[in-house]
Amino acid sequence: MAITLTALIFFLIGAALGVGGVWLAILGGSWYYILAALAFLVTSILLFQKRSSALLVYAILVIGTLGWAIWEIGFDWWQLAPRGGVIMLLGLWLLTPWIRGGLNEEEERSPSAWGPAIPLAVTVIAALAVAGYSITQDPQQIVGELSKEAITTTPDLGGNVPEADWHYYGRTPYGQRYSPLKQITPENVGTLQVAWQYQTGDVKLPDDIGETTYQVTPLKVRDTLYLCTPHNWAIALDAATGKENWKFDPNVGLNPDRQHQTCRGVSYYADSTVAAGQPCAERIYLPTSDARLIALDAANGQICPSFGDKGTLHLEKGMSYNPAGYYYSTSPPVIAAGKIIVGGAVNDNYSIHEQSGVIRAFDINTGALVWNWDSGNPDVTTPLPEGQTYTANSPNSWSVSSVDEKLGLLYVPLGNQTPDQLGAGRSANVEKFSSSIVALDLNSGQMRWVRQTVHHDLWDMDVPSQPSLLDINTATGAIPALVGPTKQGDIYVLDRRTGEPIIPVKEVPAPAGALEGDFSAPTQPISDLTFMPKPLTGKDMWGVSMFDQLACRIEFLRLRYEGRYTPPSLQGSLIYPGNFGVFNWGGVAVDPARQVMFGMPTYLAFTSRLVPRAEVPPPSAGTKGSEQGLNRNEGAPYAVIIGPFVSPLGVPCQAPPWGYVAGVDLRTGKIAWKHRNGTVRDSSPLPLPFKVGVPGIGGPIITAGGVAFLGAAVDDYFRAYDLTSGKQLWEARLPAGGQSTPMSFALDGKQYVVIVAGGHGSVGTTPGDYVIAYALPK
């Protein structure tokens, strides 16, 4: 009975592989699956006949598969496993007495005899030996070290922020995400423990949109932490204990048209013209998801009525198109030179009608408009007169800007006009400013330079990260630099005075063939410092078994794919890197003393398929905002279906690693080390902590003690790394996903590291409402 059942299973496997293998071969893919199907079918027939030659045929399959797999991908265990896992398990089953013994009847042999099974046993042992060896190898990693030497002992950290504090999203206006604190070191970081834990009470609700996320980086001023929550509550905590000092709820409500329900941070300001202790002498500015900016007294959370309209700016003012839920703030505004400077997020791919991406500077005390830079009308920055409107649907800035007050420049990362995948009819200004970094004069708003990172962007490759500013020593002296991470994996290292590259940028040919009436740029820029992945091929397809790997190979060849910047299509295009980004809003951290960078490159392929308007179904009841699935692009000739490139089982079709940590010498532009980061413990059916290298969203920080900290990965861990080598030094289990950027501060001689753990709706991590501080034991 066991042999008959086994023969039937082998027949079904052979049939499935045969159908899929023929389909793959017709598409131009590997013939291996046809040969494997034949081996399974022949083995099945011989098993039905109870002939021991079935074991010899299967031994040929095992050794053939092993040779093919090594030829395709070498000794990478995570890629060998899906190719050979099922075959190995079935080989072991054939060697059991229930099968092996039952095949010897016609030969009048003892059921325990091994003779006919020896070839299969040898090949299985060989395959197990290869698997054991490959587990010890990691052909994807880069092993090396960054120099420990401080290039300068007096680095420019930007802004007058005390060492023990964290006053801005990136600690200072420079956005370095660098703390000069040194108490925590590679030698003692392993002893970190929870100092306190606080729960905000703001949790994801049943009627919330999918991308309800907790992404905030708290600020620390003297003895108080300031933060916001996904529904835009502002909260002040005692920095030593985590005890709540005050809470303010702006009552933003729920709106299914918002694509994002999050808050990455608040902004802090101390008014030198108001005596300490007086109302609103220090303020917290809270951006909201219903397009308000609210000024609060940092001492008690009360609204400061002298700012704007009784304490509030209504950011929809001046918008010619203004449906609720289409425009909001997800990131903290910049405070510099007596101004508070605000961008805004818009809903991607809802409609051809969107609010303006205007950047506005308001008087920090009164809320009066000082200047506005509208990329649709970039030369006129004087305040918009009453009754006029900004250019609709111009490239926007949903992330965080950086400031160099000494140079008098604001550095703004810009996105795209929506729809992202349709470029016909874009204006000259849209073509100039989409997916770029723009330097604006702090006092006038006039543009000083622009550096575009993607030409005629059809892939939603907006610049997602706050630029990091530091001085870089070169052969000709120190240069004030800007480090700009991008979704496509390039790191732009520019002279922040002029926008000219410090690390070279060149133009390379790009795929052609956009839709009729549109075009694709013939070349695209690429920085010499890049984490751009190699183009995918059929051998890069993955799965948890040979079956879904085969399905991924078939789908890969059915999609249009010509490498990075393959235009969207009606056929369906593979976009790699996908719009999730190699880097996203979490950006990178830089050490201005050692002049090095720590980052978390992520690799996920996406698919993009255009849908003619006549084929777009009407919206269904209860539809909520999302950047994945069907994006309707109302008013455009095509909608677009966007999503990750995954197998029928929902795992990425491209082989891991999907996430790394990496260290870069910014003086040379060389990647010193790159290691897999994160496990599948929280994203697989079995909670096993296999270090595959998983994607993440969030950001890192660096401390002067030589330790980098990062949550972000899609497992619920917070980790510390040796900045020099990238070696993981410590990890702590979080009660929810840590898709945020941590921070570090000191109080009463003790250094703390704080991370918010609340999960991320789009990547499916555990939701929560935790703020957790870690410190060394007493």
Side-chain angles (χ1 to χ4, degrees), residues 358-360 369-385 388-391 429 433 444-447:
V358 63
I359 310 299
R360 288 172 284 185
L369 184 61
V370 178
W371 56 255
N372 35 233
W373 184 76
D374 175 358
S375 63
N377 186 23
D379 297 327
V380 180
T381 62
T382 52
L384 185 74
Q388 295 188 21
T389 58
Y390 300 111
T391 305
N429 282 328
F433 292 113
S444 68
Q446 287 288 328
M447 188 193 75

Side-chain angles (χ1 to χ4, degrees), residues 293-656:
L293 180 65
I294 304 172
L296 303 173
D297 190 330
N300 53 32
Q302 298 296 310
I303 291 177
C304 297
S306 62
F307 178 78
D309 176 15
K310 299 178 182 178
T312 298
L313 287 180
H314 300 279
L315 300 177
E316 73 278 7
K317 186 175 182 181
M319 302 294 181
S320 59
Y321 179 77
N322 187 41
Y326 277 51
Y327 181 86
Y328 38 87
S329 292
T330 56
S331 299
V334 171
I335 293 176
K339 304 171 187 67
I340 185 163
I341 304 166
V342 185
V346 299
N347 286 340
D348 279 344
N349 305 330
Y350 266 36
S351 168
I352 61 172
H353 304 291
E354 287 285 357
Q355 288 90 336
S356 176
V358 63
I359 310 299
R360 288 172 284 185
F362 301 93
D363 183 283
I364 189 66
N365 293 311
T366 67
L369 184 61
V370 178
W371 56 255
N372 35 233
W373 184 76
D374 175 358
S375 63
N377 186 23
D379 297 327
V380 180
T381 62
T382 52
L384 185 74
E386 287 291 333
Q388 295 188 21
T389 58
Y390 300 111
T391 305
N393 200 6
S394 52
N396 66 308
S397 182
W398 54 267
S399 190
V400 185
S401 297
S402 300
V403 172
D404 185 337
E405 287 202 56
K406 289 183 290 187
L407 292 177
L409 292 177
L410 170 77
Y411 304 97
V412 182
L414 285 178
N416 308 308
Q417 182 186 81
T418 186
D420 293 300
Q421 290 75 23
L422 303 175
R426 291 177 180 172
S427 70
N429 282 328
V430 170
E431 296 288 6
K432 179 177 181 178
F433 292 113
S434 285
S435 303
S436 66
I437 301 170
V438 176
L440 303 179
D441 186 288
L442 260 180
N443 292 317
S444 68
Q446 287 288 328
M447 188 193 75
R448 295 299 177 228
W449 57 258
V450 58
R451 170 63 58 175
Q452 190 167 61
T453 67
V454 182
H455 305 320
H456 195 65
D457 186 354
L458 301 174
W459 306 273
D460 190 19
M461 292 297 177
D462 41 13
V463 180
S465 308
Q466 179 186 27
S468 296
L469 313 182
L470 77 162
D471 295 343
I472 295 178
N473 287 28
T474 70
T476 58
I479 296 178
L482 175 150
V483 178
T486 63
K487 284 185 177 181
Q488 61 270 29
D490 297 325
I491 305 287
Y492 284 82
V493 183
L494 310 174
D495 185 327
R496 65 178 182 265
R497 298 168 296 188
T498 63
E500 290 302 308
I502 297 173
I503 292 176
V505 175
K506 57 181 176 287
E507 293 282 332
V508 299
L515 288 176
E516 184 178 352
D518 201 349
F519 69 94
S520 57
T523 65
Q524 292 288 357
I526 181 173
S527 171
D528 277 3
L529 173 52
T530 183
F531 287 88
M532 173 185 66
K534 294 179 180 178
L536 293 172
T537 65
K539 69 181 182 181
D540 297 310
M541 296 303 99
W542 197 72
V544 296
S545 71
M546 64 191 304
F547 306 110
D548 54 325
Q549 184 189 51
L550 172 57
C552 284
R553 284 184 183 248
I554 292 170
E555 186 62 19
F556 173 73
L557 292 175
R558 294 180 66 231
L559 293 166
R560 179 181 178 185
Y561 179 63
E562 298 157 40
R564 192 164 77 151
Y565 302 124
T566 299
S569 63
L570 294 168
Q571 167 189 351
S573 295
L574 184 62
I575 311 301
Y576 185 60
N579 66 344
F580 189 81
V582 177
F583 298 98
N584 207 291
W585 55 262
V588 299
V590 299
D591 183 330
R594 294 167 63 175
Q595 298 178 17
V596 299
M597 184 199 97
F598 179 97
M600 181 194 63
T602 289
Y603 299 99
L604 282 178
F606 271 60
T607 59
S608 176
R609 182 170 66 85
L610 299 175
V611 182
R613 177 58 51 196
E615 299 175 16
V616 178
S620 58
T623 298
K624 297 179 182 179
S626 175
E627 289 186 320
Q628 296 184 22
L630 177 66
N631 285 210
R632 302 187 61 83
N633 292 343
E634 298 291 359
Y638 300 95
V640 62
I641 296 175
I642 303 172
F645 181 38
V646 296
S647 79
L649 297 180
V651 300
C653 266
Q654 98 251 18

Side-chain angles (χ1 to χ4, degrees), residues 158-184:
N160 187 25
V161 179
E163 284 194 355
D165 282 6
W166 193 286
H167 286 191
Y168 298 79
Y169 179 75
R171 203 188 87 83
T172 77
Y174 278 14
Q176 295 170 345
R177 296 170 183 80
Y178 170 81
S179 169
L181 300 174
K182 301 179 180 179
Q183 187 178 91
I184 298 172

Side-chain angles (χ1 to χ4, degrees), residues 144-364:
E145 288 193 347
L146 293 167
S147 172
K148 292 183 179 180
E149 177 187 1
I151 308 304
T152 176
T153 56
T154 57
D156 184 1
L157 305 183
N160 187 25
V161 179
E163 284 194 355
D165 282 6
W166 193 286
H167 286 191
Y168 298 79
Y169 179 75
R171 203 188 87 83
T172 77
Y174 278 14
Q176 295 170 345
R177 296 170 183 80
Y178 170 81
S179 169
L181 300 174
K182 301 179 180 179
Q183 187 178 91
I184 298 172
T185 68
E187 291 72 32
N188 63 26
V189 68
T191 65
L192 279 180
Q193 58 190 31
V194 174
W196 53 258
Q197 177 175 294
Y198 167 81
Q199 290 184 255
T200 67
D202 185 2
V203 296
K204 187 175 181 179
L205 303 171
D207 291 332
D208 267 319
I209 59 170
E211 193 163 316
T212 298
T213 64
Y214 205 6
Q215 301 174 346
V216 68
T217 298
L219 308 183
K220 187 264 186 180
V221 182
R222 294 187 302 279
D223 61 357
T224 304
L225 294 183
Y226 300 98
L227 58 126
C228 54
T229 70
H231 294 95
N232 306 127
W233 303 353
I235 298 173
L237 304 177
D238 183 286
T241 65
K243 180 181 177 182
E244 182 182 305
N245 291 340
W246 55 258
K247 180 188 294 183
F248 171 82
D249 180 359
N251 297 306
V252 298
L254 301 179
N255 188 325
D257 283 337
R258 295 174 192 153
Q259 278 183 335
H260 306 271
Q261 186 69 60
T262 192
C263 184
R264 297 190 186 95
V266 296
S267 303
Y268 165 79
Y269 171 68
D271 188 346
S272 60
T273 66
V274 178
Q278 293 299 305
C280 296
E282 295 178 85
R283 297 173 212 148
I284 294 299
Y285 289 85
L286 172 69
T288 70
S289 55
D290 59 356
R292 288 180 286 162
L293 180 65
I294 304 172
L296 303 173
D297 190 330
N300 53 32
Q302 298 296 310
I303 291 177
C304 297
S306 62
F307 178 78
D309 176 15
K310 299 178 182 178
T312 298
L313 287 180
H314 300 279
L315 300 177
E316 73 278 7
K317 186 175 182 181
M319 302 294 181
S320 59
Y321 179 77
N322 187 41
Y326 277 51
Y327 181 86
Y328 38 87
S329 292
T330 56
S331 299
V334 171
I335 293 176
K339 304 171 187 67
I340 185 163
I341 304 166
V342 185
V346 299
N347 286 340
D348 279 344
N349 305 330
Y350 266 36
S351 168
I352 61 172
H353 304 291
E354 287 285 357
Q355 288 90 336
S356 176
V358 63
I359 310 299
R360 288 172 284 185
F362 301 93
D363 183 283
I364 189 66

